[in-house]
């Protein structure tokens, strides 16, 4: 078990509701709050970070990936559970899904309610996450997210609600499985390459290029796109309107960026659906990349890793069809 913080380890100043701090409790105290968890597996726990996941970034990703990889390389280890804040869990899960090389399960788990809250969801989520990581059928499915009795694939899962315990949804391809009090049912297999079949490696310090996300809207101008390029972005992800679209001013700025060698990926702000090439935007002519099903935050993760391999938009496009 590798702890990074989050609400699952969070404490409220006064119950119920209101303000609280992420990452206050130790992983040992979280284990102690889930009676019976130590009969599911022999647990070894370590802290990688104690942060709210809004502070998650490249340095913690690298440390976490390294710790997970060395644990997975140990023949005595069956699987890894990562406790994590829910805000950016989908990004960390997808990052690990692309850089960790092991068929053994890696399961991310969090909670929407702090550990001190009435009906805290963390203990059961943690219990189910350990059961999932210890299950023989969890291997080979890539990185998983367990919450609210559901098992999600890293590529599919998204946080969709600010406060509800059922916030995680796999909007495109459905669930990996269900887990109820450690009873597990797996369904599908992941549809895209991951872990053992991934061409990506854990990046070295400073290896990931700057990639910015820009949120499109009615009346969007070119200024923020120009500013991102001016600030040194090597890649841009556009949370486009509808099918990854941009109005004419923003489109001109994005085309200029692509012409200058900045990778421009069109994702969508809609929260669902495929962004396809050359529908309303002439990607072939403008040099853009379509995000396929990845939401903007996951498209950013793939683009950062992709840019460690190539700057060629067509090769990057192929990655969006592969991962
Ligand atoms: N901002 C916190 C985090 O992501 C709260 C969300 C949570 O963990 O549920 O760590």
């Amino acid at each position: 078990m590798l702890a990074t913080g989050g609400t699952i380890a969070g404490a409220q100043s006064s119950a119920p509701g209101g303000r609280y701090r992420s990452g206050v409790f130790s992983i040992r105290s979280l284990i102690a709050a889930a009676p019976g968890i130590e009969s599911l597996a022999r647990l070894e726990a370590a802290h990688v970070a104690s942060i709210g996941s809004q502070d998650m970034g490249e340095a913690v990703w690298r440390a976490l990936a390294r710790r997970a990889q060395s644990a997975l390389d140990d023949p005595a280890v069956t699987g890894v559970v990562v406790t994590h804040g829910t805000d950016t869990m989908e990004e960390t899960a997808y990052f690990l899904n692309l850089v960790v090389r092991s068929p053994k399960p890696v399961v991310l788990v969090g909670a929407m309610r702090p550990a001190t809250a009435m009906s805290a969801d963390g203990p059961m989520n943690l219990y189910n996450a350990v059961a999932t990581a210890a299950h023989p059928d969890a291997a080979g499915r890539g990185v998983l997210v367990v919450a609210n009795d559901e098992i999600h694939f890293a590529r599919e899962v998204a946080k969709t609600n600010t406060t509800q315990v059922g916030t995680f949804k796999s909007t495109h391809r459905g669930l990996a499985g269900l887990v109820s009090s450690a009873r597990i049912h797996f369904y599908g297999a992941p549809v895209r390459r991951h872990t053992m079949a991934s061409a990506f490696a854990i990046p070295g310090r400073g290896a990931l290029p700057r990639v910015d996300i820009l949120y499109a809207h009615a009346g969007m101008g070119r200024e923020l796109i120009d500013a991102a390029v001016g600030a040194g972005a090597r890649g841009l992800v556009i949370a486009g309107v509808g099918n990854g679209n941009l109005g004419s001013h923003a489109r001109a700025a994005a085309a200029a960026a692509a012409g200058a060698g900045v990778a421009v990926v069109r994702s969508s702000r809609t929260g669902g659906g495929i962004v396809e090439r050359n529908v309303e935007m002439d990607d072939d002519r403008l040099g853009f990349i379509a995000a396929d099903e990845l939401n903007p935050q996951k498209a950013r993760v793939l683009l950062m890793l992709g840019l460690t391999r190539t700057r060629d938009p067509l090769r990057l496009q192929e990655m969006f069809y592969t991962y």
Side-chain angles (χ1 to χ4, degrees), residues 61-77:
W61 277 349
R62 193 178 324 108
L64 179 60
R66 289 215 175 111
R67 283 301 285 270
Q69 187 68 57
S70 69
L72 295 163
D73 290 343
D74 179 345
V77 170

Side-chain angles (χ1 to χ4, degrees), residues 6-7 20 22 52-54 85-87 111-112 159:
T7 296
Y20 71 95
S22 283
S53 71
Q54 59 270 42
T86 57
D87 287 356
M112 290 301 286
K159 185 173 186 179

Side-chain angles (χ1 to χ4, degrees), residues 20-180:
Y20 71 95
R21 281 204 304 134
S22 283
V24 170
F25 292 112
S26 73
I27 184 72
R28 271 286 145 208
S29 63
L30 301 188
I31 291 168
I37 195 168
E38 297 201 73
S39 65
L40 298 173
R42 188 164 58 79
L43 301 176
E44 284 181 27
H47 284 262
V48 174
S50 292
I51 55 175
S53 71
Q54 59 270 42
D55 284 320
M56 191 57 66
E58 192 181 330
V60 183
W61 277 349
R62 193 178 324 108
L64 179 60
R66 289 215 175 111
R67 283 301 285 270
Q69 187 68 57
S70 69
L72 295 163
D73 290 343
D74 179 345
V77 170
T78 302
V80 167
V81 171
V82 177
T83 59
H84 196 291
T86 57
D87 287 356
T88 63
M89 188 182 292
E90 65 205 79
E91 285 150 86
T92 301
Y94 190 54
F95 177 79
L96 295 175
N97 196 51
L98 295 177
V99 302
V100 166
R101 206 153 287 169
S102 174
K104 296 178 185 176
V106 175
V107 178
L108 273 73
V109 63
M112 290 301 286
R113 296 180 182 146
T116 53
M118 210 185 304
S119 300
D121 52 334
M124 183 57 90
N125 283 349
L126 194 66
Y127 187 78
N128 283 334
V130 168
T132 303
H135 196 281
D137 292 346
R141 294 176 189 271
V143 174
L144 301 168
V145 168
V146 167
N148 199 36
D149 289 3
E150 295 179 333
I151 310 170
H152 301 264
F153 294 118
R155 178 179 178 270
E156 312 304 329
V157 69
K159 185 173 186 179
T160 65
N161 188 283
T162 53
T163 55
Q164 292 174 358
V165 294
T167 185
F168 286 112
K169 302 275 185 241
S170 287
T171 42
H172 288 104
R173 304 270 164 205
L175 293 170
L178 290 174
V179 51
S180 173

Side-chain angles (χ1 to χ4, degrees), residues 20-21 38 100 129 156 159 184 186 213 221 229 256 273 277 287 296 302 320 322:
Y20 71 95
R21 281 204 304 134
E38 297 201 73
V100 166
E156 312 304 329
K159 185 173 186 179
I184 292 170
F186 278 112
I213 298 175
V229 173
R277 286 184 70 80
L302 179 56
F320 279 83
T322 305

